[in-house]
Amino acid sequence: QLEQVTQNGEVLLSRIGATFPLKGAASFSPEVRDMAIQALGQNFDKVNGGMGGAPKFPQPMTYDFLLRAYYRNRQPGLLQMVELTLLKMAHGGMYDQLGGGFHRYSVDAVWLVPHFEKMLYDNALLARLYLHAYQLTGKPFYRQIVEETLDYVVREMTDPAGGFYSSQDADSEGEEGKFFLWTPAEIKLVLGQNDGEIFCAAYDVKPGGNFEGQSILNIPRPFDEVAGQFKLSPAELAAVLQQSKARLFAAREQRVKPGRDEKVLTAWNGLMLAPFAEAARVFNRPDYLQVAERNAEFILSTMLKDGRLFRTWKAEPGVPKLMGYLEDYAFYADGLLALYQTSFNPRWFRQAQNLMDVVLDHFADDQLGGFFDTADDHEQLITRPKNMQDNATPCGNSMAVRVLLLLAAYTGNSRYEEPAIEALGALQQPMGQYPGAFTAWLAGLEFALARPKEVAIIGDITSDNTRQLLAIAQQPYRPNQVVAAAAPESLPDHPELVHNRSLQNGQATAYVCQNFTCRQPVTTPEALEPLLAA
């Protein structure tokens, strides 16, 4: 009996500990991406957007991958999948029409009735996705969603110390969604009869409601139709709705708010740092840069001890707890690289590099490749977990691969590139067959196969000439590049990409390289544009 139990236990342990090898032939099949796109296309809801039926999760990494694929092959169908989904989600009840930010998922197939909880990670990944859609299409609607979502995070989800909170509950006063629901009478009490009627028509508030007798605000039809119904011009309607939203938001603030989980998790903070840093750059919003830099200051001064990250912090007791996991290092390093590419303060680059050096030294699986979720000096579990599937967030491994590829582009160092390329090479088959579980990996594959461009800009960061070159490099959607910028006197502090480069004719100068082989340097935006577009 005892022998049998021991044997069964050993089999079970080996099963739990078994992981897919992430080492071996580092060869890529470009057709893996097309297999993945085909499989995703078959699962796509062509009417309502999103994947499959109810319940519907936002799956931002799926659309991030599709955007990258569209950037490469310009197949209009891919952009249509992304745009339909972005529009339907932001017009549905899954988006908080008054306060900004996304709820967790939709219980139906049409994005109307959400599970009302709001998660930091969803809002981080979605804000970044809508930002990239804005960069690609220039549509102001996407910018509006990004800014409303980030403004919500500043208002509701940011600790005075600079960290971002984890989540907000679905219920208040014991009822799911109570904070977010309206009746026509409540709306007219705040707005008066006339504006109240217009708002109810625009946001689907009607007697009997659309959820348990009350209404979840959503936008079921184009505003142009509503304007026609009330004989208003689109501009007049927009003015009425903007004013009405502000007044209803103020009224809603008087209600009992949902509870909030005020844990600060390093990994999720890294996910949210990135869209603040990128939006600061794309929208020229210094206030967002301030939020991003405060977050980085807070995490690196509070959660980092002797070069090692902690995972979680709360204001009470005010001390960090739990040794950091792979995702804490990889997600936060990714956020820091986004921040470096906005402020070009080399400190953020160095910190990202230090974090990934810890990953290589303490998390790497030397036998099978890839990375364990826990460090080699972590408290011993019965087996060292190694998650390889992307879920609501990227897994630690897929994000580590992405960040290592970025660092390789910045430094030319094979120490960063080799483990990333090996892991991507080993996962070709699962990526093609089960793309829904590997969407962040697929985005990494797009980056690796693109032979990314390394852009070094030498010049005073504050000068007009330098800013013009940076705008060409950074305003459009360019997913397959890294940018470093430095004044001539500070080159050694910055990534290797800028080392030993000089101004041409005393003007700010851009070098465009691939695998550290560079084209002729250029000094004007007009000359830089075609080098980056090619």
Side-chain angles (χ1 to χ4, degrees):
Q1 280 293 313
L2 182 61
E3 265 177 38
Q4 186 80 48
V5 170
T6 311
Q7 203 178 353
N8 288 349
E10 282 170 358
V11 170
L12 181 65
L13 259 182
S14 71
R15 290 271 166 83
I16 295 173
T19 65
F20 194 91
L22 291 179
K23 238 183 169 65
S27 62
F28 294 162
S29 325
E31 57 272 19
V32 160
R33 299 174 298 184
D34 301 324
M35 286 168 62
I37 289 165
Q38 198 181 348
L40 292 169
Q42 284 165 349
N43 195 25
F44 184 71
D45 179 341
K46 295 177 179 60
V47 178
N48 304 302
M51 293 289 162
K56 251 189 194 155
F57 288 83
Q59 299 186 313
M61 296 172 300
T62 298
Y63 304 98
D64 172 57
F65 163 60
L66 292 175
L67 269 191
R68 289 164 183 266
Y70 170 76
Y71 180 79
R72 163 174 54 90
N73 65 21
R74 298 289 159 172
Q75 286 179 0
L78 298 180
L79 187 59
Q80 283 159 8
M81 285 166 76
V82 176
E83 290 212 71
L84 177 65
T85 305
L86 295 189
L87 194 69
K88 292 285 190 182
M89 283 198 298
H91 279 168
M94 210 186 84
Y95 184 68
D96 178 356
Q97 302 294 339
L98 285 188
F102 289 85
H103 299 295
R104 192 167 180 191
Y105 62 87
S106 171
V107 302
D108 53 40
V110 296
W111 307 108
L112 174 62
V113 179
H115 174 50
F116 285 93
E117 193 175 16
K118 283 183 178 174
M119 308 300 296
L120 186 71
Y121 60 77
D122 284 327
N123 284 289
L125 294 166
L126 286 164
R128 205 174 187 183
L129 175 64
Y130 278 82
L131 176 65
H132 293 164
Y134 170 75
Q135 285 180 285
L136 191 61
T137 66
K139 292 181 181 175
F141 176 67
Y142 298 139
R143 174 174 181 156
Q144 177 196 330
I145 299 300
V146 177
E147 292 187 310
E148 287 175 358
T149 300
L150 294 181
D151 292 349
Y152 149 73
V153 173
V154 172
R155 187 181 70 239
E156 304 273 344
M157 300 294 282
T158 305
D159 189 88
F164 302 124
Y165 297 140
S166 293
S167 64
Q168 272 178 318
D169 294 346
D171 47 351
S172 46
E173 303 180 76
E175 284 179 48
E176 162 115 12
K178 181 170 185 180
F179 182 76
F180 300 100
L181 301 172
W182 295 87
T183 63
E186 287 172 327
I187 298 248
K188 286 169 186 169
L189 188 66
V190 177
L191 299 180
Q193 184 64 27
N194 192 32
D195 285 1
E197 264 183 43
I198 295 172
F199 187 88
C200 287
Y203 285 93
D204 192 30
V205 183
K206 46 189 185 272
N210 54 30
F211 177 73
E212 296 178 0
Q214 294 174 284
S215 290
I216 300 165
L217 301 184
N218 71 101
I219 303 172
R221 59 194 177 127
F223 281 161
D224 287 0
E225 276 182 33
V226 180
Q229 181 186 336
F230 291 95
K231 301 187 171 44
L232 298 168
S233 72
E236 288 167 334
L237 176 70
V240 170
L241 292 181
Q242 194 176 357
Q243 199 181 17
S244 298
K245 279 170 76 172
R247 288 162 67 190
L248 289 168
F249 176 79
R252 192 178 81 172
E253 285 291 282
Q254 306 308 307
R255 296 177 174 181
V256 176
K257 288 196 172 182
R260 185 167 62 185
D261 180 352
E262 297 186 353
K263 268 200 312 294
V264 172
L265 293 172
T266 301
W268 296 3
N269 273 250
L271 293 180
M272 188 50 89
L273 172 58
F276 272 109
E278 289 188 7
R281 175 199 320 161
V282 174
F283 302 153
N284 190 21
R285 290 278 304 257
D287 54 329
Y288 287 166
L289 180 56
Q290 202 178 354
V291 172
E293 295 196 310
R294 277 195 66 219
N295 183 263
E297 291 283 358
F298 169 75
I299 294 290
L300 295 173
S301 61
T302 308
M303 306 296 258
L304 192 66
K305 300 265 189 292
D306 303 322
R308 303 296 291 276
L309 277 175
F310 283 83
R311 179 163 179 78
T312 179
W313 176 93
K314 257 185 130 159
E316 293 293 321
V319 289
K321 293 190 170 161
L322 306 181
M323 284 183 75
Y325 292 104
L326 174 63
E327 64 171 31
D328 296 302
Y329 286 85
F331 292 12
Y332 211 79
D334 182 62
L336 287 170
L337 289 181
L339 181 54
Y340 171 70
Q341 292 184 85
T342 296
S343 71
F344 297 105
N345 177 344
R347 176 186 167 195
W348 310 129
F349 176 80
R350 290 290 166 226
Q351 289 283 11
Q353 192 176 21
N354 293 344
L355 293 180
M356 294 313 290
D357 285 340
V358 172
V359 167
L360 292 171
D361 294 339
H362 292 283
F363 289 83
D365 179 347
D366 296 330
Q367 285 178 306
L368 292 177
F371 302 96
F372 293 108
D373 293 332
T374 56
D376 52 10
D377 51 2
H378 199 95
E379 156 194 4
Q380 286 294 303
L381 307 169
I382 57 166
T383 176
R384 260 176 104 183
K386 184 180 182 185
N387 182 22
M388 293 190 294
Q389 290 189 21
D390 300 315
N391 203 315
T393 59
C395 68
N397 266 288
S398 59
M399 184 65 97
V401 161
R402 165 199 172 103
V403 180
L404 289 169
L405 290 171
L406 294 173
L407 286 177
Y410 270 120
T411 63
N413 190 336
S414 60
R415 164 178 161 85
Y416 300 123
E417 188 172 41
E418 280 167 11
I421 296 293
E422 271 196 338
L424 280 173
L427 274 183
Q428 297 290 291
Q429 194 183 356
M431 275 192 240
Q433 284 180 314
Y434 312 106
F438 296 96
T439 45
W441 287 100
L442 284 159
L445 183 64
E446 282 286 349
F447 184 82
L449 281 167
R451 293 191 60 233
K453 295 207 164 83
E454 303 130 9
V455 185
I457 294 179
I458 311 300
D460 172 5
I461 301 297
T462 57
S463 77
D464 282 350
N465 192 211
T466 309
R467 305 289 328 161
Q468 285 167 354
L469 293 176
L470 283 169
I472 290 293
Q474 294 187 306
Q475 280 301 324
Y477 177 63
R478 300 194 195 278
N480 305 318
Q481 68 174 24
V482 296
V483 180
E489 62 276 8
S490 67
L491 300 186
D493 303 334
H494 286 262
E496 283 78 345
L497 180 55
V498 298
H499 293 187
N500 308 318
R501 304 203 192 281
S502 54
L503 300 175
Q504 303 283 306
N505 309 324
Q507 288 177 290
T509 304
Y511 296 79
V512 177
C513 319
Q514 280 175 299
N515 293 330
F516 271 62
T517 305
C518 303
R519 309 285 294 267
Q520 281 296 107
V522 297
T523 56
T524 65
E526 296 75 24
L528 178 58
E529 168 78 51
L531 295 182
L532 295 177

